[in-house]
């Protein structure tokens, strides 16, 4: 069992209305000088061993389904251990 | 100018219908043995210097606006340099 994280973000040249809305809301709440872009985070639990072939498969899955590569880019990275079963207690609790 | 990333994920005990839908779609596309949870990724460009007070402000913003802490947890981490202006060319292009 391996954990892979795929981050999907709007390309820099693409408008990001969600991020703009969040940026505006932060300003109205008094949080100044923060500019936000919003994307998606996918945490994949991969059965079996994570070899190069399996990682290439994750790349293909990201390209085919998780990201719209016309307007988004994605990054794939391997995380050491499944962490979401124990979210950091000091944050966001 | 500093870059801070806030990752927001559904808590482990919370159902994640988006992630379930993605997991099902992956299976139908032939990507087996992958289980997905879907969350959000916020990239914040912070004006000025990122001292402890400013980082605490980001925490408050995440808690107030970016995450719904009843059902989601979040992590805040500082990234070295603004990267989204130059997405990794080898991925997701």
């Amino acid at each position: 069992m391996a954990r892979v994280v795929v981050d999907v973000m709007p390309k820099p040249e693409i408008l990001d209305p969600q991020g703009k809305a969040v940026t505006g809301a932060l300003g109205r709440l008094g949080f100044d000088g923060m500019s936000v872009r919003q994307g998606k985070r996918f945490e994949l639990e991969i059965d079996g061993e994570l070899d190069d072939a399996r990682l290439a498969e994750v790349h293909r899955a990201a390209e085919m389904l998780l990201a719209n590569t016309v307007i988004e880019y994605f990054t794939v990275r391997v995380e050491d251990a499944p962490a979401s079963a124990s979210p950091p207690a000091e944050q966001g609790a």
Side-chain angles (χ1 to χ4, degrees), chain A:
Chain A
M1 185 77 88
R3 151 81 51 89
V4 178
V5 173
V6 178
D7 287 318
V8 176
M9 294 298 296
K11 289 186 178 176
E13 65 270 25
I14 298 288
L15 274 180
D16 170 23
Q18 281 185 305
K20 285 240 180 308
V22 172
T23 302
L26 283 174
R28 287 191 295 278
L29 288 169
F31 297 105
D32 294 318
M34 299 183 184
S35 164
V36 180
R37 286 182 79 77
Q38 180 172 349
K40 284 171 280 188
R41 173 185 166 96
F42 298 93
E43 291 182 356
L44 285 74
E45 300 286 346
I46 310 291
D47 289 349
E49 211 191 333
L50 191 68
D51 50 15
D52 285 354
R54 204 85 171 98
L55 205 55
E57 208 179 347
V58 173
H59 263 269
R60 280 200 305 279
E63 203 165 349
M64 192 183 294
L65 186 70
L66 305 183
N68 175 353
T69 55
V70 176
I71 57 170
E72 296 169 325
Y73 69 95
F74 64 89
T75 55
V76 176
R77 69 173 185 281
V78 181
E79 292 213 336
D80 288 340
S84 87
S86 55
E90 77 278 13
Q91 291 183 327

